[in-house]
Amino acid sequence: MTFKPEKDAKLRVLRWKRFVQGDEDMWLTNTKRFVEKTGIEVRVDAEGWEDVRPKAAVAANVGSGPDIILGLFDDPQKFPDKLVDVSDLANYLGNKYGGWYDVCKQYSIQGNKWIALPLGCAGNSLVHRDSWVKEAGFDTFPRDLAGFLKLCQKLKANGHPVGFALGNASGDGNVWTHWLVWAHGGRLVDDKNNVVINSKETVAALEYAKELYQTFIPGTLSWLDPNNNKAFLAGEISVTANGISIYYAAKNATEPALKAMAADIQHANMPVGPVGHPTELNLYFNAMLFKHCKYPNAAKEYLRFMWEKEQYEPWQQAAIGYVTQPLKAYEANPIWTVDPKHTPYRDAMKIMQNNGYSGALGFASAACMADFIIVNMVAEAASGSKTPQEAAKRAEERALRYYKV
């Protein structure tokens, strides 16, 4: 399948600023190849994650701006009527490359049409210093919550605190706090979109967060997405939840100390809580094509080109797996096995839950995510500014504002 571009087509694309240099470099290289092949001019701009989301909302509301935005989570569900139906492209790619993971359909389909094209997710794992974990008396990284807390306590006692983002961090803050609540059986809404966050399961998660917070380095309440990367690479923390970008930075550094750190870095999937199964959230990416685009066929052809194996797999490889694939066939990309430290990120899309779990995605789930309700609740309880019961109650009140609309 190909799409015949309109005459004199020009495209403007907005994406996030790279955390891994190879990601941006190869994206621009692939874009240049598309320009050379088609003659279509493509301008690519980059903004921080915290800026991409409001700019997408502005573009939807005013009907102008970038033609394509690489957005986050369920943002397309906030303005589906402003987006071009990309079902033809999504069905073509799904049929060719082994199908889309279920979570992609949950995020990017509304009704019976695809309102966005899944790009993948920045998989998260527990990035840790292996030698310090062993020094704390653990031969392997714990897979249960009690063992994980004990490890963090031992690491703190040894002078190696841990650190997790508790500021309004679109990626790192959201992913680990949702995991924590879900692991204990808490959830913002039930299967019928009733707000149920104020529960004994949520309170148990927040009690755990209070204990875990005692092992944190100071300052995490204001951390955004770059802060834990910097702290880990500075040797200030021993464990954090992050994508593969920390390992990438250390592995490609010129400083001997960072190269030595790369050899000591390991990755582990998030522990499983009382619910008995993985409860991971990862930073989900999708491409939104806006109806104000004057050249929708050219835009679809650009997206098709960028998602084809000849471009997509080298892009993953250049970023050493920073983005986990949305299409099942790309599980076979050699990037996942060339270095065993990459492998924990391979199945991020397969095992993740969507951020609206266990209800339906839509305006309310997207608004609650953008309002950082779960992150703020965990931060309030962990830091002691509110009791777990008070934090859960406030989260309930905030969520009801969106789910009762």
Side-chain angles (χ1 to χ4, degrees):
M1 169 181 279
T2 59
F3 297 89
K4 185 178 180 180
E6 298 84 356
K7 184 180 179 182
D8 300 325
K10 295 180 180 180
L11 298 174
R12 182 179 165 202
V13 179
L14 176 63
R15 53 156 289 158
W16 67 88
K17 284 185 178 176
R18 84 290 182 274
F19 274 75
V20 172
Q21 187 64 50
D23 153 32
E24 188 172 293
D25 290 347
M26 186 55 73
W27 187 274
L28 294 176
T29 295
N30 285 340
T31 298
K32 183 180 178 182
R33 290 181 59 210
F34 174 79
V35 172
E36 292 171 348
K37 181 179 179 181
T38 65
I40 298 169
E41 179 183 329
V42 182
R43 168 184 161 187
V44 179
D45 298 316
E47 300 277 358
W49 286 335
E50 289 77 17
D51 295 320
V52 169
R53 304 190 79 184
K55 289 197 173 186
V58 169
N61 288 331
V62 303
S64 66
D67 302 295
I68 297 168
I69 296 182
L70 304 187
L72 309 181
F73 293 119
D74 48 353
D75 280 353
Q77 303 287 343
K78 290 190 290 189
F79 34 76
D81 57 322
K82 306 293 186 179
L83 301 174
V84 173
D85 182 348
V86 292
S87 299
D88 47 2
L89 177 56
N91 290 331
Y92 159 75
L93 291 169
N95 289 335
K96 185 173 182 179
Y97 294 112
W100 302 95
Y101 294 112
D102 287 343
V103 74
C104 298
K105 301 171 187 175
Q106 295 163 14
Y107 270 115
S108 299
I109 291 178
Q110 187 180 79
N112 61 357
K113 68 180 182 180
W114 290 81
I115 58 172
L117 193 67
L119 175 60
C121 74
N124 234 251
S125 77
L126 289 169
V127 186
H128 59 278
R129 294 288 295 273
D130 191 49
S131 62
W132 291 349
V133 169
K134 288 182 167 58
E135 181 185 293
F138 291 77
D139 292 331
T140 59
F141 203 91
R143 290 292 298 139
D144 64 291
L145 292 176
F148 177 57
L149 178 60
K150 186 177 180 181
L151 167 63
C152 293
Q153 292 168 335
K154 289 281 188 71
L155 287 166
K156 177 68 178 294
N158 288 349
H160 304 306
V162 307
F164 295 80
L166 281 170
N168 287 354
S170 296
D172 298 332
N174 269 314
V175 299
W176 88 268
T177 56
H178 279 78
W179 156 77
L180 179 68
V181 172
W182 291 340
H184 286 84
R187 48 187 173 160
L188 189 65
V189 295
D190 64 17
D191 297 355
K192 296 182 179 179
N193 273 12
N194 297 307
V195 174
V196 294
I197 189 64
N198 190 8
S199 67
K200 68 180 187 300
E201 292 84 4
T202 298
V203 170
L206 298 179
E207 294 285 4
Y208 182 92
K210 282 182 65 177
E211 292 189 77
L212 188 64
Y213 183 73
Q214 300 307 310
T215 71
F216 284 18
I217 192 174
T220 56
L221 289 171
S222 62
W223 274 12
L224 298 178
D225 287 294
N227 292 95
N228 61 336
N229 297 55
K230 294 175 182 176
F232 194 101
L233 292 168
E236 297 171 354
I237 57 175
S238 55
V239 181
T240 193
N242 206 73
I244 207 167
S245 52
I246 290 175
Y247 178 55
Y248 179 95
K251 186 177 180 180
N252 290 282
T254 56
E255 301 94 321
L258 285 178
K259 283 197 170 293
M261 181 186 290
D264 193 39
I265 290 174
Q266 289 290 348
H267 302 120
N269 291 118
M270 307 296 278
V272 174
V275 296
H277 59 80
T279 54
E280 299 189 19
L281 174 68
N282 292 301
L283 183 59
Y284 180 88
F285 301 127
N286 48 60
M288 298 176 284
L289 172 55
F290 286 82
K291 286 183 177 178
H292 61 246
C293 175
K294 296 178 181 178
Y295 310 105
N297 281 349
K300 285 186 178 181
E301 182 61 11
Y302 173 73
L303 293 172
R304 183 200 65 77
F305 180 85
M306 298 293 277
W307 265 244
E308 294 279 11
K309 181 177 181 179
E310 293 78 10
Q311 285 70 240
Y312 194 95
E313 285 199 341
W315 174 59
Q316 279 191 300
Q317 292 162 11
I320 66 169
Y322 178 66
V323 175
T324 301
Q325 67 283 330
L327 289 158
K328 296 176 183 178
Y330 295 153
E331 285 180 22
N333 191 335
I335 192 61
W336 300 122
T337 51
V338 69
D339 182 338
K341 295 182 182 184
H342 299 175
T343 309
Y345 293 94
R346 179 185 58 199
D347 296 331
M349 292 289 287
K350 185 185 296 186
I351 65 174
M352 72 175 279
Q353 298 179 165
N354 71 64
N355 57 273
Y357 174 81
S358 62
L361 292 173
F363 169 80
S365 64
C368 288
M369 193 69 165
D371 205 13
F372 294 96
I373 290 176
I374 296 293
V375 177
N376 297 163
M377 177 185 71
V378 173
E380 289 164 359
S383 65
S385 69
K386 295 189 185 302
T387 66
Q389 292 80 4
E390 290 169 344
K393 178 64 175 173
R394 190 168 103 86
E396 176 186 45
E397 292 168 351
R398 293 173 67 190
L400 282 170
R401 292 205 306 264
Y402 300 112
Y403 276 94
K404 282 199 169 182
V405 172

